[in-house]
Amino acid sequence: MSLKGKNIVIGISGSIAAYKIATLIRLLRKAEAEVQVIMTNEAVQFISPLTLSTLSNKPVLVDYYKENTGEWNNHVHIAESADLLLIAPATANTLAKCALGLCDNLLLAVYLSAKGPVAFAPAMDLDMWKHPAVQRNIQLLTQYGHDIIPPGNGELASGLIGEGRLAEPADMLAYINHFFQQSKPLFGKKALVSAGPTYEAIDPVRFIGNHSSGKMGYAIAAQLQKLGAEVTLVSGPSSQPIPASVKRIDVVSANDMFNAMQSNFSDSAIIVMSAAVADYTPQEVATQKIKKKEEQFSIALTKTKDILSHLGTLKTEKQTLVGFALETNNEIAHAKDKLQRKNLDFIVLNSMNDQGAGFAHNTNKITVIKRSGEEFPFELKSKDEVAQDICALIVEHQQSEGLL
Ligand code: CTP
């Protein structure tokens, strides 16, 4: 399985089993993962950082800062960048410190800063592993929501035979593959999301626009990325921050958006059109600023291309196409009509009649309607939660269609 685009941070603590991590790094690099190694000072006694930095193709981090240059390793940034933090081998000492929240080395600071998934692969002698203190720490770490890759049974460094051996590199790789398949159901899929308003130029200083903030589309892009998809966000002018690991293509007009969506459409499995595209654009754009003269002034407008309808004509069985509808009356009937007309799998209906829904708010109230006519009404929620609801339906749909 390809792990392209995944950043795996491996924290190595001081155990003879550290040598197995060299093989694991090779396997991960073969699967195209990025690997960042952090070692404790004790781990350095067991395997050379040079070996691991050569295999991972990145400097190995041991200390908070480099003595000669004063350059420091930002533990928050390292933790944030990790799609998975794997602590392997995890000694009884490191497990205990993590369970208690101690922080006397870089690896522990990264662990405490990690908001994403963490797994431990313990390694120790059999009696240590059986000790109630170690087992209690394992229990605590499990309660914190972390995974434990169980140690194997066999010959130990002490010469004893029993449980405590670090899992084999192939088993750790199998865990990692499984992890990305499970928690990231959209892993390996491309998603294309549009967001924000479009600005239609009248002259060099004026435009026709709308109040869309882009919040909903940005939240959907972030959620699809969290679910493992590789996301491209085509955004009209918006001040929203770019969600982590999302590729943003900036556009201004409806026509720019049409081109960007069309050229990224064919290799996207999931396409969500949440932008508030202008329906009309000035027939001609004045090259100079228009001067005020007459009492009355009008601009000739021409219809923009309907991007979503166009994508609907290109859509294949393998693609899930989602559109939005903002309605003021006869909402469900209008939304259903749009769903059919534009050949969508889902339409997300916002009713202007619902308080707290729509453009500038941080909340939204939606009803998702499926092509089958099934309706999923949701309560008023934050836009992040609404994005989770929409994306959960997308995943369910892809699963039921046999696309995942
Ligand atoms: N949309 C689009 N291209 C346009 C206009 C709209 O892709 N030129 C998309 C929007 O992003 C949204 C959906 O179409 O996902 C619904 O847009 P809306 O303006 O509500 O519907 P229209 O089909 O334009 O119909 P009407 O304006 O008459 O309600």
Side-chain angles (χ1 to χ4, degrees):
M1 171 176 159
S2 165
L3 293 170
K4 195 167 180 195
K6 296 293 147 198
N7 184 29
I8 297 160
V9 175
I10 304 182
I12 307 178
S13 60
S15 155
I16 175 63
Y19 76 89
K20 289 188 184 175
I21 302 304
T23 309
L24 176 62
I25 295 171
R26 262 192 63 69
L27 293 172
L28 289 171
R29 293 291 296 149
K30 261 195 179 163
E32 298 181 89
E34 292 294 321
V35 180
Q36 174 64 65
V37 177
I38 308 171
M39 298 175 85
T40 62
N41 276 310
E42 291 70 28
V44 171
Q45 307 296 321
F46 290 98
I47 186 163
S48 131
L50 182 60
T51 305
L52 302 183
S53 62
T54 310
L55 289 172
S56 64
N57 202 22
K58 276 199 186 120
V60 166
L61 311 176
V62 180
D63 298 307
Y64 285 103
Y65 62 94
K66 292 182 192 138
E67 249 170 42
N68 302 337
T69 60
E71 219 177 301
W72 71 295
N73 295 315
N74 184 333
H75 51 90
V76 175
H77 176 72
I78 302 165
E80 264 178 3
S81 69
D83 291 302
L84 172 68
L85 169 62
L86 170 65
I87 302 188
T91 59
N93 187 38
T94 291
L95 287 172
K97 286 179 178 177
C98 290
L100 281 176
L102 299 187
C103 188
D104 62 0
N105 62 39
L106 178 68
L107 170 52
L108 294 167
V110 170
Y111 163 70
L112 289 175
S113 309
K115 287 189 241 145
V118 181
F120 292 87
M124 64 198 78
D125 216 50
L126 77 165
D127 293 317
M128 293 168 79
W129 174 245
K130 278 193 206 142
H131 196 284
V134 171
Q135 287 304 314
R136 189 209 52 174
N137 290 334
I138 292 286
Q139 219 174 5
L140 278 175
L141 294 168
T142 312
Q143 279 167 16
Y144 300 161
H146 306 323
D147 280 349
I148 307 293
I149 306 175
N153 213 311
E155 199 177 326
L156 299 161
S158 61
L160 296 172
I161 293 176
E163 216 178 349
R165 278 164 68 107
L166 176 66
E168 294 305 318
D171 294 329
M172 289 189 269
L173 180 70
Y175 164 83
I176 293 168
N177 282 336
H178 182 73
F179 165 80
F180 282 116
Q181 272 164 347
Q182 287 291 303
S183 70
K184 310 261 170 184
L186 298 180
F187 184 62
K189 298 262 170 192
K190 286 192 176 170
L192 179 64
V193 180
S194 73
T198 63
Y199 286 178
E200 309 302 318
I202 297 170
D203 68 14
V205 294
R206 302 181 181 95
F207 60 85
I208 300 173
N210 61 65
H211 290 300
S212 167
S213 62
K215 277 182 194 150
M216 196 60 250
Y218 276 59
I220 291 172
Q223 181 60 17
L224 289 170
Q225 195 279 334
K226 269 195 201 150
L227 292 169
E230 190 184 327
V231 182
T232 301
L233 174 63
V234 175
S235 175
S238 166
S239 57
Q240 296 299 306
I242 307 177
S245 307
V246 164
K247 178 181 161 201
R248 187 172 79 177
I249 301 175
D250 289 315
V251 295
V252 177
S253 67
N255 198 45
D256 295 344
M257 189 170 274
F258 180 92
N259 291 334
M261 291 301 286
Q262 177 171 251
S263 56
N264 286 281
F265 181 77
S266 64
D267 56 352
S268 301
I270 296 156
I271 305 95
V272 184
M273 191 72 208
S274 49
V277 188
D279 286 328
Y280 290 92
T281 190
Q283 218 159 48
E284 277 172 31
V285 182
T287 50
Q288 306 291 333
K289 186 181 169 212
I290 300 169
K291 289 288 192 195
K292 59 175 175 299
K293 286 183 209 127
E294 320 294 335
E295 275 309 308
Q296 305 274 322
F297 176 69
S298 58
I299 303 170
L301 299 176
T302 176
K303 236 186 186 173
T304 56
K305 285 182 261 189
D306 190 315
I307 306 169
L308 190 55
S309 293
H310 177 66
L311 301 180
T313 64
L314 304 176
K315 186 175 107 70
T316 66
E317 301 274 283
K318 291 194 167 157
Q319 290 172 305
T320 304
L321 183 59
V322 181
F324 273 69
L326 181 65
E327 307 289 345
T328 52
N329 62 313
N330 234 346
E331 293 100 333
I332 297 276
H334 278 141
K336 281 189 175 170
D337 172 58
K338 257 173 219 177
L339 175 109
Q340 296 300 336
R341 249 192 307 126
K342 301 197 184 194
N343 190 25
L344 311 179
D345 295 290
F346 299 149
I347 194 145
V348 181
L349 167 65
N350 289 296
S351 167
M352 280 300 268
N353 299 328
D354 291 319
Q355 278 216 337
F359 279 171
H361 299 282
N362 285 321
T363 50
N364 206 357
K365 186 169 183 326
I366 58 158
T367 299
V368 178
I369 306 170
K370 281 181 99 168
R371 190 198 276 274
S372 60
E374 230 180 320
E375 293 169 25
F376 299 85
F378 292 95
E379 295 300 309
L380 183 76
K381 294 181 179 189
S382 74
K383 285 191 173 166
D384 287 340
E385 288 168 322
V386 171
Q388 285 169 20
D389 291 336
I390 295 170
C391 294
L393 284 173
I394 293 174
V395 170
E396 225 177 86
H397 173 77
Q398 287 245 320
Q399 277 163 345
S400 68
E401 296 289 303
L403 301 172
L404 287 183

